[in-house]
Amino acid sequence: MLTKLALRNVFRNRRRSAITLLVIVFGAVGLILFGGYKAITFHGLRESTIRNRLGHLQIYKAGFERAEARKPLEYGLEDVAQLRRAIQADKRVRMTTAQITLMGLVSNGDKSETFMATGVEPKEDKAMNAQRLVSGTDLPANESDAVILGRGLAASMHAKPGDYLTLMSTTTSGSLNAIDVRVAGIFMSGVKEYDDRAIKMPLAGAQQLLQTTKVERLLVMLNDTDDTAAVRASLTTLFAKNHWALEMKDWSQLATFYHQVVALYNGIFGFIGMVVFAIVIFSVANTIVMSIFERTREIGTMMAIGTTRSSIWRMFLAEGLMIGVIGGVAGLLFGFGISNLINRVHIMLPPPPGYTQGYPLRVMLQPGILITAFLIAVITSTLSSILPALKASRLKIVDALGHI
Amino acid sequence: MHQQPLVRLLDVTRTYPLGRVNVRALTGVSLDVGRGDFLALAGPSGSGKTTLLNLIGCIDKPDSGRILIDGVDVTPVPLHRLASTRRDTLGFIFQTFNLIPVLTAYENVEYPLLLQQVPAAARRKRVLDWLEQVGLSDQARQRPDQLSGGQRQRVAIARAMAGQPKLVLADEPTANLDSVTAAKILDLVEELNARTRCTFIFATHDPSLMSRARRCVRMHDGALVTEQILEARAS
């Protein structure tokens, strides 16, 4: 009976209940949209960070991280073929690729600039889809002296595809070495600071410049990011079994920018959540207080004919709960609909800080976000009716009956 | 053996703060109400009728004195602990009917039975029976705002009686009704009193109601002044 009473009372003053429900729906939709936007941003950033740059796992020679190397590639990996075969035996592994990073000077004869180069295996690097070519071609598969330049660096060097540049760097034995390279193409990663210094060159070319046969690291790409921890564990076992002195990092340990973005967005999401929480609390509390004021004599009557204080309290609490449930369900439906609409109309957003390209606004509907939005609606609505409900249950019957 | 009165008031006093002064609503009232009585509390406005009903109805507390309902001293018990007494022993009829507006006539009558946890089948039978007794079987599904004043008061009477109380308290039950409807309501209440032997106490200044009472107690300035026994009605 209390449930029936509560439900009917919710629909008694329809306009007021509708306004309260609207507030809850707005709050829930806001949470769903922002949560969905956050989810897709995290997902996109994570996958692009992994697939374009970091790989899921990176393997180095033991001591690589802690030791300050005195010479380039002092802690480099030698003869990675056996290691790669062992790793690629795992079905969850999509591919492995070796890399070297090096720094030095690039010159066009008239002018020199510092560069940061990554020596990559062209075929595997292409599979990683690391960059977008602005002009020219990608790294050719079997040409060790071809390079591609970041857009900023190419502009600074006045270089275009087909031009020749000289790269100079310190070799693994500590002496200086220089090689001439042909500009195959110009690329952009979207991060301006990176594009102003970046060179990609074939691993063989980098090894030639550094006069070594070693590689710096081995990147492991998986089919599914969710397998990272499991694969890491099995690789650790594999290394121990073969007594390979290696160390390993996963993408999460390397993706500083990703973690900064996650922390920022979570902070904003938390703040929005608090605002929604506060608005719903005040709105529902106001509705219940008004309702109690209007129904004072009714409450007095109910108590006079034997309704207990706790029943009155529970009835108003149930009203808050029902407002929350109805608002939460409506919020889910609207949130779902609006999310789908947004995903269909392709709204473009301006480039984020540090990027040169905009991206489409998309919302990812995850069960976790929907459940959170629904629970926040229900819990805040119920919480905000606790005090007014308590007040109603403490009314003096005689005063309540005399209330007009 | 002398039968214990259903209601016994012993030297009951009640004072209300009204602004900065205290108003004495009741001064040393003592009264016994026997089982099956049909008693009218008469007197002008402010004479303490409603206060007395509230005290007997366990919805207000006296400042001093004692109140015994069905032999139990309810004076020291906090009001919220008397919910079960109100539920099981008492029935209320209000001047303004005080039905629960979101419930139908049927549900309003059913409400006290739900509080008493009467099983579903028995509850349904009793609700339908009472709606029939007050002549509202056809209006069972209507809500209070769809009923006339007289019909609403009949629902209120059915609600008060359905819980099978020993005592029904009615505060000016006919004050909001026209004379013809009021007379019908009084006929009904009188008939119920005679048939069920349930005790009725009215607060009223309606002479027609007073004339129907078996006992009429007049109040003035918070005190009982005269008592009239109209035994003729009993026969």
Side-chain angles (χ1 to χ4, degrees), chain B residues 1-8 32-36 68-73 166 199:
Chain B
M1 198 180 95
H2 181 69
Q3 202 183 15
Q4 189 185 43
L6 181 63
V7 177
R8 168 163 279 181
D32 279 1
V33 182
R35 289 161 202 277
L68 287 87
I69 307 288
D70 206 11
V72 178
D73 187 354
K166 292 179 178 162
T199 308

Side-chain angles (χ1 to χ4, degrees), chain A residues 17-35:
Chain A
S17 293
I19 291 170
T20 312
L21 288 175
L22 212 59
V23 170
I24 298 175
V25 168
F26 267 119
V29 168
L31 289 177
I32 290 169
L33 292 187
F34 188 74

Side-chain angles (χ1 to χ4, degrees), chain A residues 1 4-5 8-9 12 297-298 301-309 397-398 401, chain B residues 59-60 80 83 86-87 92 94 96 98 100-103 107 111 114-115 143 159:
Chain A
M1 179 58 114
K4 191 195 283 178
L5 268 173
R8 289 189 191 172
N9 280 317
R12 186 161 166 184
R297 202 168 63 177
E298 194 179 313
T301 307
M302 288 173 75
M303 286 165 95
I305 62 181
T307 312
T308 57
R309 275 182 177 185
I397 303 174
V398 171
L401 282 172
Chain B
I59 58 175
D60 195 10
H80 67 271
R86 294 193 293 269
R87 181 190 67 198
F92 288 86
F94 302 91
T96 47
N98 291 22
I100 300 171
V102 292
L103 299 182
E107 288 162 343
Y111 185 77
L114 286 163
L115 295 178
R143 290 201 183 179
R159 176 177 71 180

Side-chain angles (χ1 to χ4, degrees), chain A residues 133-317:
Chain A
L133 281 177
V134 180
S135 62
T137 60
D138 216 334
L139 287 176
N142 44 14
E143 191 183 338
S144 66
D145 63 349
V147 299
I148 53 173
L149 302 182
R151 191 162 67 162
L153 186 61
S156 169
M157 285 282 105
H158 300 282
K160 53 187 187 303
D163 290 354
Y164 279 84
L165 297 171
T166 304
L167 303 184
M168 193 163 67
S169 186
T170 315
T171 68
T172 47
S173 57
S175 59
L176 277 176
N177 188 24
I179 56 167
D180 288 337
V181 291
R182 182 179 68 83
V183 178
I186 294 164
F187 72 90
M188 59 183 288
S189 68
V191 182
K192 185 176 177 300
E193 284 71 18
Y194 177 70
D195 291 344
D196 285 349
R197 290 278 170 267
I199 290 180
K200 276 204 172 182
M201 61 198 298
L203 192 67
Q207 285 174 327
Q208 191 192 335
L209 181 59
L210 298 179
Q211 295 180 336
T212 183
T213 55
K214 292 181 185 175
V215 301
E216 182 182 293
R217 67 186 78 195
L218 195 62
L219 269 59
V220 180
M221 308 290 292
L222 307 179
N223 292 313
D224 188 347
T225 305
D226 292 341
D227 287 335
T228 307
V231 175
R232 182 180 181 150
S234 42
L235 289 186
T236 308
T237 318
L238 175 78
F239 300 162
K241 204 171 74 185
N242 291 300
H243 304 291
W244 288 335
L246 299 168
E247 61 184 40
M248 192 166 24
K249 281 191 170 184
D250 61 37
W251 65 269
S252 177
Q253 291 170 289
L254 298 161
T256 327
F257 180 68
Y258 170 80
H259 288 298
Q260 284 169 345
V261 172
V262 168
L264 175 72
Y265 276 42
N266 280 339
I268 298 172
F269 190 69
F271 179 73
I272 292 179
M274 292 295 286
V275 171
V276 170
F277 195 77
I279 292 173
V280 171
I281 288 255
F282 285 119
S283 181
V284 176
N286 177 59
T287 301
I288 304 270
V289 167
M290 292 288 288
S291 178
I292 289 167
F293 185 77
E294 285 172 6
R295 282 152 61 192
T296 301
R297 202 168 63 177
E298 194 179 313
I299 297 165
T301 307
M302 288 173 75
M303 286 165 95
I305 62 181
T307 312
T308 57
R309 275 182 177 185
S310 72
S311 296
I312 298 285
W313 186 73
R314 277 185 280 127
M315 182 177 74
F316 281 99
L317 208 64

Side-chain angles (χ1 to χ4, degrees), chain B residues 39-111:
Chain B
L39 176 126
L41 292 170
S45 292
S47 59
K49 306 186 297 288
T50 300
T51 304
L52 191 58
L53 276 192
N54 289 344
L55 291 172
I56 297 170
C58 299
I59 58 175
D60 195 10
K61 284 269 158 211
D63 298 327
S64 63
R66 289 169 64 206
I67 299 168
L68 287 87
I69 307 288
D70 206 11
V72 178
D73 187 354
V74 296
T75 334
V77 188
L79 288 178
H80 67 271
R81 299 224 177 278
L82 290 170
S84 56
T85 306
R86 294 193 293 269
R87 181 190 67 198
D88 298 330
T89 313
L90 305 173
F92 288 86
I93 300 170
F94 302 91
Q95 179 181 344
T96 47
F97 324 130
N98 291 22
L99 299 176
I100 300 171
V102 292
L103 299 182
T104 62
Y106 180 95
E107 288 162 343
N108 265 289
V109 179
E110 188 187 24
Y111 185 77

